[in-house]
Amino acid sequence: MDPSRFSAIVNEYIEAVRQLACEILDLLGEGLGLKDPRYFSKLITNADSDSLLRINHYPPSCTIHKLDHDDQCNIKSLVSTKASNGGNLTAGGRIGFGEHSDPQILSLLRANDVDGLQVLLPDRDGKEMWVQVPADPSAFFVNVGDLLQALTNGRLISVRHRVIATACRPRLSTIYFAAPPLHARISALTETITASSPRRYRSFTWAEYKTTMYSLRLSHSRLDLFNIDDDDSDNANEGKA
């Protein structure tokens, strides 16, 4: 493909998914009862927005592990979904992209019809389990990012996820990461802070958080580093009903 044509197509796609992200964020703003329901979307439509698009390609595992088609397809259904510390993978399964949460505000992922995406969710006993997300090339998968968790004071949770390569065909995905400008200050909105739900995170800029992110391992729960203790929380909420 002509590089200039490819660039034009990618830019058109970015504009379309940015608009979709804005619509989702505006709905979340309304649902949270924000005085300005467009507060979130304004962060990513800012001219200095740090949003980006990533295209991932995961080669077929049957090629890497030199297994034939039948063996690889049998393995596909045997990937273990237990253990929150990275999971135990059966033979043939490999980490395509390790356990992590997305650091930005919102992520919109679209992939082909090859499985691989898993999310970490609690089971009935409260134990964390890896759950396979069925592939659907006609759908977008929407992930709350760390910044949105901080902005909503933990009302919305940044889900931990990973990609496991076990398929006989390559997996291709595109992810739009909606992010604010580097100088944007991230702080829990007043509508999300109450006497029973005090401020959980100290204020920080996206640049500060991004720098912290790159200094840590991918799986690190980096938002925990921005927690504030009870005394700080009491001070931050002094005078609130």
Side-chain angles (χ1 to χ4, degrees):
M1 175 181 288
D2 176 18
S4 61
R5 176 57 179 159
F6 178 75
S7 177
I9 292 173
V10 170
N11 286 331
E12 289 176 9
Y13 182 79
I14 290 174
E15 183 57 37
V17 289
R18 176 167 46 225
Q19 181 59 40
L20 176 58
C22 287
E23 293 177 10
I24 294 171
L25 289 170
D26 289 347
L27 288 173
L28 289 174
E30 291 179 12
L32 290 167
L34 301 187
K35 293 179 182 178
D36 181 5
R38 297 183 60 219
Y39 180 87
F40 300 135
S41 63
K42 287 177 180 178
L43 289 172
I44 67 172
T45 55
N46 187 291
D48 295 326
S49 167
D50 193 42
S51 301
L52 63 93
L53 182 76
R54 176 184 295 156
I55 301 175
N56 290 331
H57 174 262
Y58 303 95
S61 285
C62 50
T63 301
I64 294 174
H65 295 283
K66 298 181 180 179
L67 302 174
D68 63 29
H69 182 279
D70 291 338
D71 286 341
Q72 186 62 30
C73 288
N74 287 334
I75 284 173
K76 179 181 177 182
S77 64
L78 296 177
V79 175
S80 173
T81 57
K82 62 185 178 180
S84 62
N85 61 354
N88 294 326
L89 305 182
T90 58
R94 65 180 180 85
I95 297 292
F97 206 103
E99 175 187 348
H100 67 286
S101 62
D102 293 336
Q104 295 88 354
I105 295 176
L106 199 74
S107 303
L108 298 181
L109 180 149
R110 191 164 186 175
N112 60 0
D113 59 349
V114 176
D115 286 334
L117 179 63
Q118 297 182 347
V119 295
L120 191 61
L121 298 175
D123 63 12
R124 294 179 180 178
D125 299 324
K127 298 180 180 179
E128 292 182 318
M129 300 285 290
W130 285 108
V131 177
Q132 184 82 21
V133 179
D136 185 348
S138 66
F140 282 96
F141 300 95
V142 182
N143 286 336
V144 168
D146 296 346
L147 297 191
L148 191 54
Q149 179 171 329
L151 287 166
T152 62
N153 203 36
R155 292 276 296 277
L156 300 176
I157 304 299
S158 180
V159 65
R160 300 188 72 79
H161 53 285
R162 68 183 183 184
V163 175
I164 301 298
T166 59
C168 316
R169 295 179 293 115
R171 173 180 167 86
L172 183 67
S173 65
T174 61
I175 311 99
Y176 175 71
F177 297 99
L182 289 171
H183 59 75
R185 183 152 294 278
I186 306 301
S187 184
L189 300 177
T190 55
E191 294 91 339
T192 66
I193 303 170
T194 64
S196 60
S197 181
R199 189 184 301 274
R200 294 179 56 182
Y201 309 103
R202 68 172 178 83
S203 177
F204 56 89
T205 64
W206 168 228
E208 180 184 0
Y209 195 81
K210 194 173 182 180
T211 298
T212 301
M213 173 189 72
Y214 283 125
S215 70
L216 302 169
R217 295 177 62 88
L218 180 66
S219 61
H220 196 284
S221 298
R222 48 200 170 237
L223 194 55
D224 290 347
L225 298 178
F226 295 83
N227 286 340
I228 56 179
D229 59 33
D230 292 338
D231 291 338
D232 290 337
S233 178
D234 290 340
N235 293 333
N237 290 280
E238 185 176 357
K240 290 187 179 292

